[in-house]
Amino acid sequence: MVARVADSADLQGMRAAGAAAASVLEMIAEHVVPGVTTDHLDQLCHHFIVDELQCIPAPLNYGGGGGQIPFPKSICTSVNHVVCHGIPATAKTLKSGDVLNIDITVIKDGYHGDTSKMFFVGDASVLAKRLSRITQECLYRGIEAVRAGARLGDIGYAIQKHAEANRFSVVREFCGHGIGKVFHDAPQVLHYGRKGSGMVLEEGMTFTIEPMINAGKRHIKLLPDQWTAVTKDHKLSAQWEHTLMVTQTGCEIFTLRNEEAAWSTRLQTASAT
Ligand code: MF3
Ligand code: CO
Ligand code: CO
């Protein structure tokens, strides 16, 4: 079943879960510095999620069906050529020039909030900064395609067009997803596609958009840990993610951060006219 907000309790629940997830990304920013391990970032987030927010970190022990290994940590940390689902490790010390995605999913009162962003450790290369910026723009263009009556394919089309116009490629093996009381629900939100294709969006539907964009070719491979996805050509990959709800005129982003306020005001002004 497609995830959707059915009543005001659902709406309040999704707003609270989204705000909580966003606050974890805001909290962790100052800790992303040279010399820190990704395991330490995981511990800081875990304690903040559990003790300050009174939430459950959804990734911890997630999966594990069908012989898969459950995810062993509370957040995903995907460094440099890691596309997604990087596992925090004491052996992974960040150094100046690294770029990473931190992906946070919390469960608050039964509702999920799922969001991620890129961080630069010390000084990032010109390429890393450009890839990260274009990927964030891809997320925003996908979001701008959302409104009741639009189609899922409009989102993928907007993302793919912007990525490829900048000579980057779109990862196809992972997609956005319906979200609510369930972490990964229908629909699948592809980050590539054709305008006017796919499911018609209806008011109240809740899903994520989370484009993974590669500096080189789109192909990926899975490491033996069965979680970590890396680029086949070992070139950089970036990802940004929001959880949102479809409205008549656009969408409500549940995981918005303060630093995005100016952009979202522009978006709402544009959709109102
Ligand atoms: N947060 C990821 C997503 O955006 C999923 C992580 S599942 C995990 O869908 F098990 F790897 F944590
Ligand atoms: Co997600
Ligand atoms: Co996520």
Side-chain angles (χ1 to χ4, degrees):
M1 264 243 298
V2 167
R4 61 174 81 240
V5 156
D7 53 31
S8 68
D10 284 351
L11 180 57
Q12 292 315 313
M14 288 302 286
R15 281 180 176 155
S23 76
V24 182
L25 288 179
E26 293 180 325
M27 178 281 294
I28 202 64
E30 65 178 295
H31 300 283
V32 182
V33 292
V36 77
T37 67
T38 52
D39 188 76
H40 186 65
L41 297 176
D42 177 71
Q43 285 183 32
L44 290 171
C45 289
H46 178 90
H47 288 119
F48 186 76
I49 290 166
V50 172
D51 301 332
E52 304 287 324
L53 300 174
Q54 272 89 49
C55 292
I56 299 166
L60 187 58
N61 298 317
Y62 180 77
Q68 201 195 21
I69 304 162
F71 194 80
K73 297 285 175 174
S74 294
I75 66 171
C76 298
T77 50
S78 302
V79 183
N80 296 337
H81 70 293
V82 177
V83 173
C84 65
H85 304 165
I87 302 173
T90 49
K92 187 65 193 171
T93 302
L94 297 177
K95 57 181 192 310
S96 183
D98 284 340
V99 288
L100 77 156
N101 172 280
I102 300 182
D103 193 339
I104 304 291
T105 311
V106 304
I107 311 173
K108 187 166 181 59
D109 300 327
Y111 296 93
H112 289 74
D114 186 6
T115 185
S116 79
K117 64 169 281 189
M118 297 300 295
F119 293 89
F120 303 133
V121 185
D123 300 313
S125 69
V126 171
L127 173 65
K129 283 187 199 154
R130 195 171 75 89
L131 177 65
S132 173
R133 175 175 58 80
I134 297 294
T135 305
Q136 186 180 25
E137 289 169 5
C138 283
L139 169 61
Y140 287 175
R141 286 183 183 218
I143 290 172
E144 284 163 11
V146 175
R147 62 174 168 76
R151 286 174 179 264
L152 272 180
D154 299 343
I155 300 171
Y157 171 80
I159 292 167
Q160 183 178 15
K161 188 172 153 210
H162 191 54
E164 292 178 356
N166 286 281
R167 287 167 280 106
F168 294 144
S169 63
V170 179
V171 172
R172 307 218 173 183
E173 288 81 355
F174 301 98
C175 56
H177 48 93
I179 185 169
K181 288 177 180 157
V182 172
F183 190 171
H184 292 108
D185 208 343
Q188 292 195 10
V189 182
L190 304 184
H191 302 120
Y192 59 92
R194 281 181 300 114
K195 223 177 186 162
S197 71
M199 181 189 286
V200 177
L201 303 182
E202 293 166 18
E203 197 171 3
M205 285 180 177
T206 49
F207 54 82
T208 71
I209 303 178
E210 48 183 296
M212 282 143 275
I213 306 296
N214 294 348
K217 294 207 163 51
R218 68 174 177 83
H219 305 96
I220 66 158
K221 64 179 189 199
L222 216 53
L223 295 189
D225 65 24
Q226 296 178 29
W227 281 105
T228 311
V230 300
T231 55
K232 241 184 190 161
D233 60 14
H234 279 217
K235 293 192 176 166
L236 290 177
S237 187
Q239 180 178 26
W240 293 74
E241 174 176 25
H242 272 312
T243 297
L244 58 80
M245 176 183 72
V246 179
T247 65
Q248 269 325 310
T249 55
C251 66
E252 176 173 335
I253 304 167
F254 292 133
T255 47
L256 207 63
R257 297 178 305 282
N258 284 326
E259 67 195 8
E260 298 176 295
W263 167 75
S264 72
T265 309
R266 273 202 310 282
L267 177 66
Q268 271 146 30
T269 313
S271 67
T273 54

